[in-house]
Amino acid sequence: EPEVTQTPSHQVTQMGQEVILRCVPISNHLYFYWYRQILGQKVEFLVSFYNNEISEKSEIFDDQFSVERPDGSNFTLKIRSTKLEDSAMYFCASSGTSGRYYEQYFGPGTRLTVT
Amino acid sequence: AQSVTQLDSQVPVFEEAPVELRCNYSSSVSVYLFWYVQYPNQGLQLLLKYLSGSTLVKSINGFEAEFNKSQTSFHLRKPSVHISDTAEYFCAVSVDGATNKLIFGSGTLLAVQP
């Protein structure tokens, strides 16, 4: 069964450093998402991406964040200058093969620890 | 704006007992409803969904949920739980026709005891 994959599984970085979290969505999906879950809190929407552009972003997704689909398979989240409060589990998700809504499939997550 | 409320942060239950995890949502437009499960140190797995049609939806492992539009609820039930059902359960909504972002509740930890 096809699945969403994410790398790395755990990333430790120092405050102020840039990190890139990588995701490989399910191959025929068209909609891509990033969510995050701070330890002990709810899962929060960050950004959605469709047709090579951001379709919606949350208030959390400020100028330090960016997303990119550099090729036909990868979907990346870049955090330019990490802060302590960026420590969280980051989930990538993908859905849809056409305009009709399909459920989102999540990857296993990347645990980001900012020290 | 949409929101999801899961009033119970933790539900302890003995093995083979029935369980209900409550979920209420707020929305002025039609929504799709989901339950996701997160086992320890793992990602989110879709447990079941309501998109349209029958208001009672079932999963392959014995869970079911019923969409109640008048009460804006989507409670999750299982008649007899197993130790292996111990996990965090998240209710989520998505709005039809938008970017389909998911809005999650705060989660309920189902702790099944022997």
Side-chain angles (χ1 to χ4, degrees):
Chain A
E1 184 176 332
E3 58 182 17
V4 178
T5 60
Q6 290 184 244
T7 55
S9 58
H10 191 189
Q11 173 91 47
V12 181
T13 188
Q14 288 189 327
M15 194 167 51
Q17 295 296 304
E18 174 182 287
V19 295
I20 297 176
L21 310 183
R22 291 182 168 78
C23 168
V24 178
I26 294 173
S27 64
N28 61 348
H29 281 184
L30 300 176
Y31 300 83
F32 313 111
Y33 308 83
W34 283 102
Y35 294 83
R36 79 173 185 188
Q37 183 183 29
I38 295 172
L39 187 64
Q41 299 185 24
K42 66 172 68 175
V43 178
E44 302 172 289
F45 167 77
L46 290 178
V47 65
S48 59
F49 192 85
Y50 170 72
N51 200 25
N52 285 321
E53 62 182 22
I54 292 173
S55 47
E56 186 174 355
K57 59 184 181 180
S58 72
E59 292 178 352
I60 303 168
F61 195 88
D62 61 21
D63 291 343
Q64 69 165 330
F65 291 94
S66 63
V67 290
E68 191 178 34
R69 189 157 163 81
D71 52 42
S73 60
N74 290 285
F75 180 50
T76 62
L77 174 68
K78 181 190 291 186
I79 308 175
R80 260 180 279 280
S81 178
T82 51
K83 306 171 189 171
L84 293 176
E85 54 264 37
D86 294 328
S87 294
M89 182 74 90
Y90 288 81
F91 293 106
C92 173
S94 69
S95 75
T97 57
S98 71
R100 180 170 172 262
Y101 180 86
Y102 287 86
E103 58 264 29
Q104 294 179 29
Y105 293 87
F106 283 75
T110 293
R111 181 170 298 285
L112 176 65
T113 302
V114 182
T115 61
Chain B
Q2 295 74 39
S3 65
V4 179
T5 301
Q6 292 180 252
L7 287 174
D8 305 307
S9 60
Q10 187 168 350
V11 173
V13 62
F14 288 107
E15 195 173 18
E16 298 183 5
V19 71
E20 178 180 83
L21 306 184
R22 295 180 293 169
C23 172
N24 288 88
Y25 69 92
S26 172
S27 176
S28 58
V29 298
S30 296
V31 296
Y32 301 125
L33 295 155
F34 306 85
W35 277 99
Y36 282 85
V37 57
Q38 185 178 34
Y39 297 102
N41 300 313
Q42 294 188 28
L44 297 163
Q45 299 176 30
L46 180 64
L47 184 61
L48 45 74
K49 62 183 184 285
Y50 171 78
L51 302 181
S52 65
S54 172
T55 57
L56 182 64
V57 291
K58 299 183 179 184
S59 72
I60 58 173
N61 57 353
F63 283 94
E64 63 179 38
E66 186 158 19
F67 168 55
N68 188 319
K69 189 174 181 180
S70 63
Q71 297 185 3
T72 60
S73 66
F74 191 56
H75 300 331
L76 181 69
R77 302 183 182 95
K78 189 171 185 179
S80 176
V81 296
H82 302 289
I83 295 287
S84 58
D85 293 325
T86 294
E88 188 92 23
Y89 291 79
F90 292 94
C91 183
V93 302
S94 176
V95 176
D96 184 16
T99 61
N100 297 324
K101 68 180 181 185
L102 289 169
I103 299 166
F104 286 86
S106 53
T108 297
L109 175 61
L110 175 63
V112 182
Q113 304 162 1

